[in-house]
Amino acid sequence: MENVASFFAAVPIWAYLILIPVIIAVRDVLQRKHTIQHNFPLVGHFRYMLETIGPELRQYIVANNREELPFNRRQRSWIYASSKKENNYQGFGTDQNMQEPGYVLIKPAMLPFRLDTTHSHHIKNGNDPHHYTIPSAKVIGQSHNRKRPYRPRSIVNVSAMSFGSLSSRAIESLNKGSYQFGNYHNTGEGGLSPYHKFGADVVFNMGTSYFGVRDDDGNFVMEKLVKMTQQNPFVRLIELKLSQGAKPGKGGVLPASKITAEIAEIRGVPIGKDVVSPPYHSAFSNVKEMVDFIEAMADATGLPVGLKSAVGKTDMWEELADIMAETGKGPDFIAIDGGEGGTGAAPPSFADHVSLPLVFAFSTVYKIFQKRNLTDKITFIASGKLGLPAQAVMAFSMGADIINVAREAMMSIGCIQAQTCHTNRCPTGIATNNKWLEAGIDPTLKSERFNSYMSTLAKEIIEITHATGYEHPCQFGMNDIDISMGDLNKTITLADNYGYMKTIVPYSGIRELLDCPHLGGRKIPGEKTV
């Protein structure tokens, strides 16, 4: 062995510099797996290297500020700067083409809403613990007399992202940051993990595999759900996931190679065996049974229960609305996921073509329930690229009571839009279970950055609300937004474009919301608690 080592040590470096490329070139010519490498020995490797870092090259060198998708550089820069408390302004006016089709134009009032100097949102009250607080104008579950109704402290919250899809440190960062800001944190369908238990309110998301509340065969177990909610009182809502924007109507596979002992325990699945999530629920088979299932969970846990779904055909939505109108039973909230959403992996055919974009999906469903006078009984939640102020305001104008953000939340803790979420090689350690990559995340720092992003987003939503003449975003209406038609300098209101007027949400002032006994989020000394 020493003789071998001595032999290689005696070979001059220049010989290695010649010999290694020759060996690689010979290997390339002899292999038949990669045509480019065979036809262009040695040089062909650079093609694959450039392809691997293509998204990064386009982000930082090739594309302009407004060119990329799903989030362009200008949008990402605003999120990054906001999370780091850096200057997020832009100079010299807009660089947007305000005449392009679909461009959002928010109409300011001639005279903005006047704030009393004692108002928590007044610029002088920056140290007020409620300075950036915008509670939901609706109490979820109150119309159905749930035992534990819930008013979210924030109208902007974290959308469903599972532990397993996101790393433990990423989940921990979001949960700690959510506690600091006061918003709720949706678990995603991967179950309630230890990393969701750092103080924030939690929405327990339950998909077709019932992770965390299932038996060995994957069937739902009510007793496990009840026990989980009783042992974890910070769980405030149950969200029954029917589908999601990136891959509606499609199940997933959790490969055995990705199932660690920790994930197996959290999800209630065996180690060493692939777990297949079906595209349909086994606990019910039709809309009526689904309503009964929702009511059973609400009765057993005392919590409000709602639906999350992408939107396509409307016949079952019509049926659901009819049942709710006839019986007074059904979901306490409905979360509409736009087809442009998605933080994890999905086939391109699904991500690109299956389900409606948010504006069409939300307006379609909202009108169905509005026609039956049900909008006051339901809290509407919207998600799909809404973590930017103007897009959020448009959603509130269309009837959303709450918005959920996912990818924007990931960017606030370091995501660079590398688009490698499906490879387990996320370079920022966010969408991976690779311990080396994950170790780069400092939850203490990243939670502060998420809190700063949420505070800035809330601040700008508040300022736009006041500029439009209102105190709370629930007061926005369909005539407060115009969208550009793209030709002849014409614009059209949301009301004219989507064919409805948002139902007026009862509102008596921010103080009433803050004094609500069902208000969730972080607890402030002297504040009323549940």
Side-chain angles (χ1 to χ4, degrees), residues 25 90 106 186 193 215 248 254 316 336 362 446:
Q90 75 178 53
I106 303 169
N186 193 307
S193 75
D215 62 18
L254 185 63
M316 289 185 179
I336 299 298
F362 188 89
K446 297 301 186 180

Side-chain angles (χ1 to χ4, degrees), residues 70-71 159 245 308 335-342 356-359 381-388 391-392 394-395 402-408:
F71 292 89
S159 193
K308 174 185 177 177
I336 299 298
D337 210 12
E340 63 271 57
L356 297 174
L358 177 68
V359 288
I381 303 174
S383 62
K385 295 182 70 174
L386 297 179
L388 299 156
Q391 284 67 35
M394 183 178 68
I402 292 169
I403 62 170
N404 286 347
V405 298
R407 287 172 292 182
E408 300 91 327

Side-chain angles (χ1 to χ4, degrees), residues 206-210 213-215 217-222 225 240-242 278-297:
M206 190 169 64
T208 58
S209 284
Y210 310 112
V213 290
R214 56 183 264 154
D215 62 18
D217 296 321
N219 299 307
F220 173 74
V221 179
M222 181 69 80
L225 178 68
L240 181 63
K241 181 195 136 181
L242 303 180
Y280 44 80
H281 279 268
S282 60
F284 53 88
S285 58
N286 56 51
V287 177
K288 184 180 182 305
E289 290 179 1
M290 181 182 72
V291 171
D292 292 339
F293 183 56
I294 289 171
E295 291 295 325
M297 287 193 292

Side-chain angles (χ1 to χ4, degrees), residues 186-214:
N186 193 307
T187 64
E189 63 182 305
L192 182 69
S193 75
Y195 312 105
H196 293 105
K197 300 179 181 182
F198 290 96
D201 287 344
V202 164
V203 177
F204 181 71
N205 177 288
M206 190 169 64
T208 58
S209 284
Y210 310 112
F211 290 130
V213 290
R214 56 183 264 154

Side-chain angles (χ1 to χ4, degrees), residues 50 72 81 105 123 131 140 194 206 230 263 297 314 318 339 354 358 376 384 403 423 432-433 446 458:
L50 290 172
N72 62 48
L105 301 163
I123 192 171
H131 188 56
I140 305 177
M206 190 169 64
Q230 289 176 344
I263 290 176
M297 287 193 292
T314 61
E318 298 271 1
V354 183
L358 177 68
D376 62 326
I403 62 170
T423 66
T432 178
N433 289 321
K446 297 301 186 180

Side-chain angles (χ1 to χ4, degrees), residues 22 24 62 129 142 175 194 201 241 258 271 274 328 338 353 371 405 417 429 529:
V22 170
I24 294 174
V62 179
Q142 192 169 54
N175 194 266
D201 287 344
K241 181 195 136 181
K258 292 189 69 174
I271 297 177
D274 291 347
H353 298 287
K371 185 168 63 176
V405 298
Q417 194 173 276
T529 58

Side-chain angles (χ1 to χ4, degrees), residues 411-431:
M411 284 188 274
S412 75
I413 63 171
C415 169
I416 62 171
Q417 194 173 276
Q419 297 176 287
T420 57
C421 310
H422 57 298
T423 66
N424 203 35
R425 296 194 301 271
C426 171
T428 62
I430 294 173

